[in-house]
Amino acid sequence: MVKPRICLPRPLTCFVLAITLAFSLSVRAEDRSPDVAIAAAQGPVAQNGMVVAQEARAAHIGVDILQQGGNAVDAAVAVGFALAVSYPRAGNIGGGGFMVIHLADGTDTAIDYRETAPAAINAKSFLDAQGNADPQKSRFSALGIGVPGTVAGLALAEKEYGSGRFTLADLVAPAIAMARDGITLDDDITNEQTNILARLAHWPASAKIFLKPDGSVLAAGDRLMQTDLADTLQSVARDGPDAFYQGPIAWKIAAAVQAAGGVMTVDDLKDYHAIERTPVRGSYRGYDVVSMPPPSSGGVELLEMLNILEGYDLAHDDETQTLFLMIEAMKRAYADRALFLGDPETVKVPVTKLVSKSYAADLRAGIDPEHATPARAIRAGGDSDPEGHNTTHFSIVDRFGNAVSNTYTLNFSYGVGLVADGTGILLNNELDDFAAKPEAPNAYGLIGFEANEPGPGKRPVSSMTPTIVLKDGKPFLVTGSPGGSRITTAVLQVIVNVIDRGMSIADAVAAPRVHNQWQPDQVFAEPAAPADVIAALQARGDKVVQQRPFTSAESILITPEGFIGAADPRSHGALAVGY
Ligand code: GLY
């Protein structure tokens, strides 16, 4: 592999400092350049291509593909397969996700490779005998496993939008090598394994890969060998996605799910297909914002929030006012998510209305700029139990003018924890993202109604928000994040921090974030949010709870000086690498 010239690992020790300093370091309004792109002086800068991912080996693999003449889609496919090996808690071929692509010719498109519910899933699948939502079924049992979409999605992206210089096999090859040769673990991965030890230990097929023979987690410095996964990836490399969805791999997946009490069949796998969709698109202060349409809620909510905020001047130093208004916008967008969002193949989502400027103006009229709106005044609710480090995002740009924003997931860290024996494939628990019952919260405290009820072949609503912001039709900002329900608000804050608050991309990503999702009626603030701002929000009526950070917005700003990568300091292993 050719060594990239620019590389910025972010050690854990930098994290607290970066977060703590972010508010004070942010560029003050009066100091800002009129061109926000010029404000971005921090972070690695590269002229030819940039990859920002949550795990360094995968980021290097992506930039290596770019250096070999690949485009951003080639690199994204290689990174997607690589993370399935090097970042198994969220990188995957046993889950699903979304890829938003901007092509140099001006085309924008989106690949939906969200998991689908098996044909035997119905509206009652995740209820107990009393008819109440049963989180045990949707989160911790094989019933919650959706038909994986990642292999189909990455293969579709490569076939349609790859440069043609590489075969799928070329792009899977680095992942195969890592799986077969093993990778040396760092404390980031092993700490996470400690957190979810019970889920991995529950399944012998998983324990034999991810745990030591005595049942303890692998330690930093140990090697993680994934030879079954290498064989699976080798089959995909040789025979394409059919090797995954038909034949011995599919048989093993279906057998493992059924043996664990789930209902997925080989026909469910055979019937899976990734879908190319038209992205949702809006404008914000003269920039175009391109993001993921349903079944993600992310793009619709993001545009709804930006449209609301566009009616206010946020280019000032009043942190409280900016955060307060963002929180008010969040409440309204998440209430609409709950009511309207669902799989567009089965419900009519009123996207045009939700992302319209006139609807935003109506919502804005209901905002009191000095007093928090209680959730009950918007709609009825649930509670919250956020999961930790799950899902993963990477952003890629190339020298040809293409950009890729990709977020994919197993839902929880390591998904349901079950490896389909003999395949090395960790399986998701994505079906918890359905509304098991109207108003029953999912693991992120998100509630939903009939639009997102479980059903055969359906895709559960997601929060993943891979986003590309364009300026004069060209990529300006590529961003996205993991973090369950907090994904969309993290993306919102990165965009507002850059465009309105004039921060460098590094500061925009590092700045402490707040989050509100309508229900529960609480504002979650990261520990580094300034005490005076929190007190001021509380004085206006918001109930603020401080919680550990768990989003990680790997981002790239495109400036006249080059591509500036921002690896989120919240993720110890994240890397921005360019050439
Ligand atoms: N599983 C998290 C999401 O898709 O929103």
Side-chain angles (χ1 to χ4, degrees):
M1 182 187 294
V2 186
K3 280 270 172 277
R5 293 205 308 267
I6 297 164
C7 141
L8 186 70
R10 302 240 179 191
L12 185 60
T13 46
C14 292
F15 169 72
V16 175
L17 182 64
I19 292 291
T20 309
L21 293 181
F23 260 71
S24 56
L25 287 181
S26 56
V27 180
R28 301 177 75 80
E30 62 268 28
D31 301 333
R32 282 186 318 175
S33 160
D35 181 345
V36 294
I38 307 291
Q42 297 167 260
V45 185
Q47 305 306 321
N48 296 304
M50 177 69 70
V51 179
V52 189
Q54 257 178 291
E55 196 281 325
R57 279 169 281 235
H60 280 294
I61 285 167
V63 93
D64 190 38
I65 295 294
L66 294 180
Q67 283 180 299
Q68 291 177 46
N71 68 13
V73 175
D74 299 326
V77 171
V79 172
F81 281 110
L83 286 167
V85 179
S86 64
Y87 198 69
R89 69 186 182 210
N92 71 80
I93 58 170
F98 305 120
M99 182 183 292
V100 172
I101 302 170
H102 174 84
L103 297 173
D105 68 5
T107 308
D108 297 305
T109 191
I111 309 287
D112 166 3
Y113 58 97
R114 182 73 160 163
E115 300 92 326
T116 53
I121 292 291
N122 60 49
K124 296 197 165 59
S125 290
F126 303 112
L127 303 181
D128 64 16
Q130 286 70 47
N132 297 316
D134 183 351
Q136 185 61 34
K137 287 185 177 170
S138 56
R139 293 173 206 172
F140 305 109
S141 92
L143 261 188
I145 301 172
V147 181
T150 298
V151 172
L154 296 180
L156 177 63
E158 182 54 24
K159 178 164 156 280
E160 298 297 327
Y161 300 109
S163 67
R165 297 174 70 105
F166 300 89
T167 63
L168 187 64
D170 294 331
L171 302 175
V172 182
I176 296 171
M178 280 197 295
R180 200 170 303 290
D181 300 345
I183 55 171
T184 304
L185 296 182
D186 62 20
D187 58 359
D188 182 40
I189 291 184
T190 55
N191 288 344
E192 187 71 10
Q193 286 179 331
T194 307
N195 291 343
I196 63 128
L197 179 61
R199 267 209 313 280
L200 291 172
H202 184 68
W203 312 102
S206 312
K208 75 181 177 200
I209 298 169
F210 292 107
L211 303 179
K212 292 182 180 171
D214 68 359
S216 61
V217 292
L218 298 168
D222 285 345
R223 281 187 89 68
L224 173 63
M225 306 296 298
Q226 299 181 80
T227 47
D228 285 345
L229 184 58
D231 291 343
T232 294
L233 291 167
Q234 188 72 59
S235 298
V236 170
R238 190 182 53 235
D239 299 327
D242 283 355
F244 186 93
Y245 292 100
Q246 300 175 43
I249 297 171
W251 303 338
K252 286 179 193 167
I253 294 172
V257 173
Q258 289 173 26
V263 292
M264 195 188 302
T265 65
V266 289
D267 283 341
D268 291 321
L269 285 146
K270 188 150 86 48
D271 291 345
Y272 185 85
H273 55 280
I275 301 173
E276 184 167 0
R277 298 191 187 275
T278 304
V280 288
R281 197 182 173 97
S283 64
Y284 184 63
R285 304 197 199 279
Y287 295 81
D288 291 310
V289 181
V290 179
S291 192
M292 194 66 209
S296 182
S297 63
V300 171
E301 279 185 286
L302 176 67
L303 292 176
E304 188 174 329
M305 292 187 287
L306 288 171
N307 285 337
I308 293 171
L309 293 170
E310 201 176 36
Y312 301 101
D313 176 13
L314 304 181
H316 51 67
D317 280 348
D318 186 345
E319 314 272 15
T320 302
Q321 188 64 359
T322 299
L323 295 185
F324 175 80
L325 292 170
M326 283 202 282
I327 290 162
E328 290 296 304
M330 291 172 191
K331 291 172 187 172
R332 286 155 178 84
Y334 276 77
D336 283 339
R337 176 200 205 275
L339 194 59
F340 294 118
L341 267 292
D343 182 343
E345 309 298 319
T346 58
V347 291
K348 175 114 189 61
V349 184
V351 174
T352 308
K353 172 185 167 175
L354 294 176
V355 305
S356 72
K357 300 283 185 197
S358 59
Y359 180 60
D362 290 347
L363 293 177
R364 206 161 42 237
I367 295 176
D368 175 342
E370 294 300 328
H371 299 98
T373 313
R376 68 177 179 284
I378 302 175
R379 276 186 200 107
D383 64 3
S384 177
D385 176 22
E387 257 278 323
H389 297 84
N390 48 66
T391 309
T392 189
H393 176 83
F394 51 87
S395 297
I396 300 180
V397 292
D398 66 28
R399 66 194 154 100
F400 311 111
N402 306 298
V404 171
S405 182
N406 188 93
T407 315
Y408 71 152
T409 187
L410 292 164
N411 195 23
F412 286 11
S413 279
Y414 296 86
V416 76
L418 172 65
V419 169
D421 204 7
T423 69
I425 301 167
L426 261 166
L427 294 166
N428 64 83
N429 56 351
E430 212 71 62
L431 303 191
D432 186 60
D433 279 348
F434 282 120
K437 184 181 174 181
E439 298 192 56
N442 73 2
Y444 307 100
L446 290 165
I447 67 168
F449 295 90
E450 283 76 7
N452 189 30
E453 76 178 12
K458 285 180 69 174
R459 294 169 190 231
V461 172
S462 171
S463 298
M464 292 186 282
T465 315
T467 299
I468 300 173
V469 180
L470 306 172
K471 184 183 186 186
D472 303 325
K474 306 234 178 303
F476 168 71
L477 170 62
V478 186
T479 189
S481 180
S485 56
R486 296 168 201 221
I487 292 172
T488 315
T489 53
V491 172
L492 172 76
Q493 286 166 88
V494 171
I495 294 173
V496 167
N497 287 347
V498 169
I499 292 180
D500 293 292
R501 304 175 78 191
M503 294 184 189
S504 72
I505 187 64
D507 286 345
V509 166
R513 295 199 263 268
V514 294
H515 171 76
N516 177 286
Q517 59 187 50
W518 170 51
Q519 296 288 355
D521 193 358
Q522 286 173 328
V523 173
F524 300 100
E526 291 187 328
D532 60 329
V533 173
I534 290 179
L537 291 172
Q538 282 171 326
R540 292 179 186 204
D542 276 319
K543 300 179 200 89
V544 184
V545 178
Q546 283 190 283
Q547 276 188 346
R548 70 189 166 87
F550 61 87
T551 49
S552 186
E554 315 310 335
S555 305
I556 302 171
L557 193 71
I558 296 92
T559 77
E561 287 70 40
F563 307 127
I564 304 178
D568 197 318
R570 293 164 183 80
S571 283
H572 154 210
L575 182 73
V577 56
Y579 84 104

